Amino acid sequence: MKPSAFDYVRPSSVDEAIAHLEQFGDRAKVIAGGQTLMATLNMRLSAPELLVDIGRIPGLSGIEVRGSLVSIGALTTHREIERSALLARHVPLLTQAAPHIAHAAIRNSGTIGGSIAFADPAAEWPACCLALDAVIVIRGAGGERRVPARNYFHNLYETDLSATEIITAIECPITPPARRSVFLELARRQGDYAIVGLALLARIDADKLHEVALAFVGAGPTPMLATTAMTALEGRTPDAETLHAAREALTRDLDPGPDLYTSAATKRHLAGVLLGRAIAQLMSGGDQTHGTA
Amino acid sequence: MSARDELPVQGAEQTLTRGHVGSPDPRPNARRLLQGRGVYIDDLRLPRLAHVVFLRSPHAHARIVRVDSSRARQAPGVIAIFDGATIAQVCKPWVGVLAHLKGIRSPTQYPLAMERACWQGEPVIAVVAQTRAQGEDARDLVEIEWETLPALVDMDDALAGNPVLHPELGDNICFQREVDTGGIDQVFAQADIVVEETFHFGRHTGVCPEGRAILADYNAAEHSLTVHHATQAPHMMHDIISRHLDIPEANVRVICHDVGGAYGIKVHVYPDEMCTAAIAMLLRRPVKFQADRMESFVSDIHAREHKATVRLAATKDGRILGFDLHDLTAIGPYSVYPRTSGIEGNQVVNLTGGPYRHSHYRARMQAVFTNKNVTCQYRAVGHPIAVAITEGIVDLAAQRLNIDPAEFRRRNLIPDDAYPYAFPSGIRFEKLSHHQCLERLLALMNYEGLRADQAQARERGCYRGIGLAAMIEVTNPSAAFYGVGGARISSQDGATLRLEPTGALTVLCSVTEQGQGTETVFAQIAADTVGISMDKVRVITGDTATTPYGGGTWGSRGAGIGGEAVLQSGRALRANILEAAAAILACDRATLEVANDAIVDRLSLRPLLTLAELGRICYYRPDTLPPGFQSELMVTRHYVPRDYAFAFTNGIQASWVEVDTETGFVKLLGHWCVEDCGTVINPLLVDEQIRGGVVQGIGAALFEECCYDDAGQMLNAHLGDYLVPMAGEMPDIVCAHVQTPTHTSELGAKGAGEAGTAGAPAAVMNAINDALVPLEARVTAQPFTPERILAALGRV
Amino acid sequence: MALPETEITLRVNGETVRKRVEPRQHLIDFLREGLDLTGSHVGCEHGVCGACTVRVDGRIVRGCLMLAVQADGRSVETIEGVSDSGELADLQHAFHQRNALQCGFCTPGMLLCAGELLATTPAATREQIREHISGNYCRCTGYQAIVDAIETTLASRRANPAGAGT
């Protein structure tokens, strides 16, 4: 199928883009890498009057360290993140997660800002941002605001971002060397949206887990921060008893819906399996490898 | 001179080794595809081309109360909008039945739904516009008032007649067949063991990389229609278009260009394609329909939705006594024209138990109407079902008797020296090689080594399994398949060979090419048979105006039937070339031979006359030839198998998997296939047929299923959700061949297109179940998703 | 309904092209319908099958997931261009020898996809090859021959770096 007709503008600044959005409201759509939007346009699931292409606005792309943060421009592609030496050193979770995103050609075009704006709970970056306690930098007519990822995802495809705002950057705290990370997911085929996935960070001190952060992919209407399980693990040695408690806690933390091939109960089961595997991998060295379950 | 003396390629018991036949020649016609210079239907550029898009029923079952196209007609670029009644005035409807499938019934089907739509995806309104996008814009403006009707989705409901979909038929049974060799209840009652299992098979579809496509170009001055069609059977379509659109046969031409995958999907009559041809007539201009991916999922034929319960009786020393089968399959609201939707179930009945010696067989098969998309013949028709049923129950019997699965097969496969062999059910085999294939497979895969690895892996809680699947496959179909039932589908094929003035050779064949390499195979056979080098051979297929009449490409018939026609034609041409050479050289024809593009002395092989020189003289200077001599440098021969209804082939596959018992994920560690398709004309191409087929079969086992909800809506009509096998999960596949040439042709080739798809699902299923034996879990419902495996393990 | 058109200028296989396009037209339709470059194929139009893979500014993209207007000012290469330049001739030869194609519909996209791996990961393993092409659907071959052909080309380029392409 071909998209319905729409008008197209390619603003050269964020302010210009926002002016278009202010004028058209929800009759406009922002396109960046377009890797999700284009498919929905082609299927006529979305039929905007105006497409606002922010893809060439200067200053929205690139990865840089700012003090204790790494700032990732919204237009930075999955591929640039995957290949960034800076991120591999400072936020290795993102390096670990990137290869799970779709396929090479899509990683070349798709952007982190687009992923966060669309907020698919089955996508990798939203869960990573939760686990990392990242901040979403948003610009609107009223200026810039910084929204912690943990306040950003409201419901299925509903976020703190309004129809007249644009994400300009994602700010991730630098992960200290002592804090390890693991990203795992279970996808039927390489590059598919995962049935379930998780992002885990923790510091290990004398076999005990500290500063545990655990976020799940595909386990609810939004990416899900598993706060109860995090508490169950915090400050403990991940022995069988602790792991059992953490898995039990997931029943409160997660709210998966069924997909075509997998029931909610199976997703819960798989989330528990992944948790065990992630912790085992974390204890044995974690971020040395790109995790596959 | 005897035929043997004249035939350079093969003696009856010899393996073909000489020249090109038997060698892995790359495909000359692949070069254009490698540079993006192929021509698929959507690549054609015709003046005044109009695009048709179809408004398809959004409901599984609904009455069309009112259609309002007035707004749509005003949309930019719209040329015309047609409904069912208008198209029915120029295109006769059809009924998908065959006389030899006793009792098969189907309602009349029209190109566009008339008063009622019977599946989600049935074409209802045709919108013709200057561009595809404009057509889609206008389609969105067509308003239809629907009265939804109860959707018949479940096949047990269908069998129970709850409700009856076509009231005029009285019940929902399209076709049923029973086979009973007699005495089976007694045999089962007295057997040492009886095992029983019910297997479920998900609906599949072919997912051709190129969607279905047709471009029909009507010339009103001539009342002629040229149809560019992505089809496997141009002559069949030629006949059907002629008869249903009432255009004289001589005024129709069907041209088949490059085809982007077919696998049986593109051999049927589709209502939207017939409608496109009708529209070309009505609008007196070229009209194109190119199916997009989403409509393909709800309008390409589906296949393989079966529920089969099978019982096997055996002695305690592991000898199979008989099989007892009940198969139920749902075929959608119509039996597909002209091949019908009864063949798949019929094949399941024919093939179940096929590799094994047994004395008793009872089968009952019922094909029922439902409000899902229609089903019909798709690659390896019925085989994946029959092989999975057979191999699944055979493995269960072996397990129950505590006999190794390989050994159990060794005891029961039909002995290699038992041919010709006939089952009590009537199936006849010319010559098969089950035991040779089995032993070759076990050696190739290092069966004992893998069993040892499996045992060690289990010690550390890692569950690996080996699955074997023996199979028989129907290939080289004779008229017994369709012709005897009244279908106007040719089972014979023809080849014309013409020596050109430059000494080049042109081959025209009625078998088509969809990438399997048929044109290459024909070039190899022609080159060897005539005595010409392969780079001088040009092959033309897929044009009903130029090629001999024939069936096309389906049922693994291209190499075995088309190839034999080429061989016979090549022999005749070679004889004619020698006649001409003897006339030119004024010598005894018996002293001459054709070799290396020249006439040579038969004994010394000394070149006497190049074929180019011979061509020059025969075409341009026939005045120099002896009085009364007329050269015939173009000949045509045809071939159809007569001795057997089908050339049965055989083979065996093995799958080696690891099941993650916590996640239910299956990792494919290895796959092997030993196959006997008779003479292997080109091992490079045969191996790729096997491997491609295996991966299609793995798709069935692990990924593919058309999922429907209770309202008859297909839930995954989208390539993101209908999971096809991709490179990341597929194993390397080791292929080997045993060659038992069929004696029904001189070439000796049988078909190779079905084997991979036929056996792979059973092999993977048996491997998974073998892995799960220690956990006392079994899976029998394809595809084997993580969910189903975890459920079998009791983990969810 | 108004159908606005926008003028775009881009380089396609080295030639500068100026055309008016509807904003809604995706790149692959533009190449095929606007420029008659029919070597790149429309497979699914939802970014899954990879038959429409082309290069934009040197990187492979899904032609169905990019609008023609987004390619304004950019450089696009298609199978026709890379075939004529000879850049992938060794890979095409390996595909031919290994019969790494049947119907050929996926082949242009598969070649461009593999070309990026050849350029970026000279030491790619078989597993990495499979992973890299895992977004390109082939129904005919079973993938193994494709993996073999890419592996062969990688090895020959490693052995003879100067001989890459032609």
Side-chain angles (χ1 to χ4, degrees), chain A residues 51-177:
Chain A
L51 212 56
V52 180
D53 181 358
I54 63 168
R56 297 197 204 177
I57 295 177
L60 291 188
S61 185
I63 301 161
E64 61 180 9
V65 175
R66 287 189 196 153
S68 62
L69 301 171
V70 180
S71 175
I72 305 170
L75 294 180
T76 308
T77 63
H78 309 318
R79 156 86 164 203
E80 287 161 347
I81 293 170
E82 184 180 8
R83 301 226 151 194
S84 164
L86 209 59
L87 287 174
R89 188 159 77 247
H90 293 305
V91 195
L93 178 68
L94 299 180
T95 316
Q96 294 165 327
H100 293 280
I101 301 174
H103 309 282
I106 287 172
R107 293 202 290 274
N108 281 342
S109 296
T111 66
I112 189 168
S115 172
I116 299 301
F118 187 61
D120 190 328
E124 287 78 3
W125 293 147
C128 288
C129 285
L130 278 189
L132 290 167
D133 204 5
V135 167
I136 317 298
V137 185
I138 294 171
R139 281 271 297 280
E144 186 172 274
R145 60 196 186 99
R146 285 179 153 66
V147 182
R150 293 176 183 185
N151 298 337
Y152 171 85
F153 300 101
H154 294 176
N155 208 332
L156 186 64
Y157 305 124
E158 284 176 23
T159 69
D160 214 53
L161 187 71
S162 80
T164 56
E165 291 178 312
I166 285 171
I167 295 174
T168 57
I170 316 295
E171 291 176 347
C172 299
I174 286 174
T175 308

Side-chain angles (χ1 to χ4, degrees), chain B residues 565-604:
Chain B
V566 172
L567 185 149
Q568 296 298 340
S569 190
R571 282 181 53 185
L573 177 64
R574 187 165 148 278
N576 291 359
I577 288 170
L578 289 173
E579 291 281 353
I584 293 166
L585 297 168
C587 65
D588 181 356
R589 190 190 123 163
T591 66
L592 302 177
E593 172 68 282
V594 188
N596 304 324
D597 305 307
I599 308 300
V600 300
D601 179 81
R602 191 176 172 81
L603 292 176
S604 68

Side-chain angles (χ1 to χ4, degrees), chain A residues 1-3 10 42 56 108, chain C residues 24 29 45 60 70 72:
Chain A
M1 279 175 69
K2 313 299 178 191
R10 194 165 62 221
N42 288 345
R56 297 197 204 177
N108 281 342
Chain C
R24 63 163 153 176
D29 270 356
E45 295 187 285
I60 55 167
Q70 289 180 291
D72 184 27

